[in-house]
């Protein structure tokens, strides 16, 4: 499975599934969640989430992606950082693995994640990245061929580069005419 890190807006990614860092009630949150709800179509996505009603921490559920250039949004419910003594590591890893499994079962070839739990959920960036990387690299699916970890801001990209992580910068790439052209750019 091909795993890469790119800097971009996750809603611009041409993939089969986009992961949304969700809460247990699947309600719209702030940051990346708000952007995904807005660009997917807030009314339709809210209705789809209300029909599902809830999801437990460490688990994931799919909805259609509506107006996004993806087939599905996978809502991965992530933990809040407390003190490292409340299974935060295990729950965050489980959220990644659950989202990967949902995508694989649904026959997805590609999936894009934000750096889960690194924003309002309070995980240290380095720890959040390490959990993401180890969880993604440990997954052995049937259909998934490409996993993209999408970071939005310059500060996160700079931090990861400082850790020796190769970050492909698509932030200033020209707008692609079609999904196939964008996929060529991010293939390694």
């Amino acid at each position: 499975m091909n795993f890469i890190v790119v800097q971009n807006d996750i809603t611009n990614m041409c993939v089969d599934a986009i992961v949304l860092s969700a809460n247990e009630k699947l309600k719209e949150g702030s940051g990346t969640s708000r952007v995904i709800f807005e660009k997917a179509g807030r009314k339709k996505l809210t209705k789809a989430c209300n029909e599902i009603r809830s999801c437990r921490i460490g688990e994931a559920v799919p909805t259609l992606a509506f107006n996004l250039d993806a087939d599905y949004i996978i809502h991965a419910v992530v933990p809040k950082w407390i003190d490292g003594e409340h299974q935060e590591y295990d729950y965050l890893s489980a959220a990644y693995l659950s989202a990967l499994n949902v995508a694989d079962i649904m026959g997805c070839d590609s999936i894009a994640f934000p750096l889960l739990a690194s924003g309002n959920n309070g995980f240290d960036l380095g720890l959040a990245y390490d959990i993401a990387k180890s969880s993604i690299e440990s997954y052995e699916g049937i259909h998934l061929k490409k996993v993209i970890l999408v970071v939005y801001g310059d500060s996160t990209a700079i931090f990861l580069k400082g850790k020796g992580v190769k970050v492909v910068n698509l932030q200033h790439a020209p707008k692609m005419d079609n999904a196939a052209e964008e996929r060529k750019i991010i293939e390694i």
Side-chain angles (χ1 to χ4, degrees), residues 37-101:
F37 266 82
E38 179 182 320
K39 291 187 178 180
R42 184 169 279 116
K43 193 172 189 177
K44 289 178 183 177
L45 186 53
T46 299
K47 182 178 185 222
C49 289
N50 287 343
E51 288 171 0
I52 297 169
R53 297 179 54 185
S54 67
C55 184
R56 287 188 246 175
I57 295 173
E59 296 180 5
V61 293
T63 63
L64 293 176
F66 301 106
N67 299 332
L68 294 174
D69 193 8
D71 295 322
Y72 307 103
I73 295 171
I74 298 176
H75 305 257
V77 181
V78 299
K80 290 192 180 295
W81 179 260
I82 299 170
D83 57 10
E85 302 292 325
H86 292 84
Q87 297 181 293
E88 294 99 317
Y89 309 95
D90 295 335
Y91 282 129
L92 183 54
S93 180
Y96 276 101
L97 295 171
S98 182
L100 290 164
N101 194 51

Side-chain angles (χ1 to χ4, degrees), residues 4-10 12-13 148-158 161 166-173 186:
I4 62 170
V5 180
V6 302
Q7 182 181 4
N8 203 327
D9 176 337
I10 196 166
N12 291 336
M13 303 309 297
I148 304 167
L149 184 64
V150 183
V151 297
Y152 180 74
D154 288 335
S155 61
T156 303
I158 290 166
K161 288 176 185 176
K166 180 180 179 183
V167 178
V168 178
N169 189 338
L170 295 179
Q171 198 70 7
H172 304 291
I186 58 178

Side-chain angles (χ1 to χ4, degrees), residues 86-121:
H86 292 84
Q87 297 181 293
E88 294 99 317
Y89 309 95
D90 295 335
Y91 282 129
L92 183 54
S93 180
Y96 276 101
L97 295 171
S98 182
L100 290 164
N101 194 51
V102 167
D104 203 46
I105 288 170
M106 296 176 73
C108 295
D109 180 65
S110 57
I111 186 170
F113 284 91
L115 187 53
L116 296 176
S118 64
N120 291 337
N121 287 54

